[in-house]
Amino acid sequence: MPASTITVYLYVPNIIGYVRVLMNIFAFAICFSDRKLFSLLYFISFVCDALDGWFARKFNQVSTFGAVLDMVTDRISTACLLVILSQVYRPGFVFMSLLALDIASHWLQMYSTFLVGKASHKDVKDSTSWLFRAYYRHRMFMGYCCVACEVLYITLFLLANNQTESLTEVLVGFTKQSLLNSIFLGFLLFGWGIKQSVNFIQMKTAADLCVLYDINKKQKD
């Protein structure tokens, strides 16, 4: 293996990515035996998602491998948590639908990005959707939506007492406990709602790019 290849694998942000993978493996292994530790490890791994990007820019260690590792780790982590929630709550179809939307939108976005020759899947300046552009242009806004989404899922996991919970009853019961709970849940749901809207827009936009690519290719032929 060339020394340059080994160097990329040993980039600081990529090492953080490996640690995230190991952390998530351990976290999901103990998710039902120690929910609090699982939630803590899962959230730390999520926070490290922001750190690896910061280190990549700081040390000029941005790489395609790192970007793919980062996204794959994010998607698998969220997918595993959504699968668990689908087994804990009823209707579980809600969480499986969210899982399908999350994977489909990001996979199509990554594929269409490379198809049209863009350097990053976050390059959406030519999008007609102001929400889509705002999401990827403003890191704080995107960070809030992502944090709200993940914290909401973690909160739901911590609130579940058994494997036959009604999602509606748990949410209503949580808000009735205090006004602070209602505000907290509203804050999370707002960010979560924006994130799901962006996922849908992203999926539709990426699908359109794939179709336009085929049309342009046929016209050239």
Side-chain angles (χ1 to χ4, degrees):
M1 183 179 295
S4 57
T5 302
I6 297 176
T7 300
V8 173
Y9 281 127
L10 295 179
Y11 278 176
V12 172
N14 294 343
I15 292 176
I16 293 175
Y18 308 146
V19 172
R20 290 185 63 205
V21 171
L22 294 174
M23 194 180 300
N24 280 319
I25 290 174
F26 179 73
F28 281 104
I30 63 165
C31 64
F32 287 112
S33 59
D34 194 334
R35 295 193 179 202
K36 291 183 179 180
L37 179 57
F38 160 77
S39 300
L40 177 62
L41 292 174
Y42 184 92
F43 188 73
I44 291 175
S45 173
F46 174 73
V47 172
C48 287
D49 179 30
L51 289 179
D52 61 12
W54 184 82
F55 278 110
R57 293 185 294 273
K58 180 177 177 59
F59 297 124
N60 192 28
Q61 293 183 340
V62 177
S63 65
T64 300
F65 169 73
V68 174
L69 174 65
D70 181 56
M71 176 173 283
V72 170
T73 303
D74 289 342
R75 302 285 62 79
I76 292 178
S77 300
T78 302
C80 289
L81 182 51
L82 286 171
V83 168
I84 290 174
L85 290 174
S86 73
Q87 300 303 304
V88 173
Y89 284 97
R90 296 295 178 269
F93 179 73
V94 172
F95 298 102
M96 297 308 293
S97 298
L98 291 172
L99 168 58
L101 175 61
D102 187 63
I103 292 179
S105 66
H106 284 85
W107 193 89
L108 276 169
Q109 178 69 0
M110 284 293 290
Y111 189 84
S112 64
T113 295
F114 288 110
L115 198 63
V116 299
K118 291 183 178 180
S120 171
H121 69 282
K122 296 180 180 179
D123 180 4
V124 297
K125 57 180 178 292
D126 54 350
S127 173
T128 57
S129 170
W130 66 268
L131 180 60
F132 196 34
R133 294 195 306 273
Y135 180 81
Y136 278 115
R137 282 183 178 179
H138 304 286
R139 291 185 178 277
M140 292 296 292
F141 179 54
M142 180 172 66
Y144 156 63
C145 294
C146 292
V147 170
C149 193
E150 297 297 335
V151 172
L152 175 63
Y153 295 152
I154 292 173
T155 301
L156 287 174
F157 182 65
L158 290 173
L159 288 176
N161 293 316
N162 53 63
Q163 294 187 346
T164 57
E165 294 283 9
S166 166
L167 179 60
T168 303
E169 290 179 2
V170 169
L171 290 175
V172 172
F174 181 69
T175 57
K176 287 183 176 179
Q177 291 178 8
S178 69
L179 177 61
L180 184 61
N181 283 0
S182 298
I183 296 175
F184 175 68
L185 184 60
F187 180 77
L188 296 182
L189 285 173
F190 183 72
W192 171 86
I194 294 175
K195 181 72 166 60
Q196 304 317 308
S197 298
V198 168
N199 277 345
F200 183 80
I201 295 171
Q202 180 170 262
M203 181 174 64
K204 178 61 169 60
T205 301
D208 288 343
L209 285 174
C210 290
V211 172
L212 287 174
Y213 177 83
D214 285 336
I215 293 175
N216 292 332
K217 186 177 179 181
K218 288 182 179 180
Q219 290 178 343
K220 290 180 181 178
D221 294 339

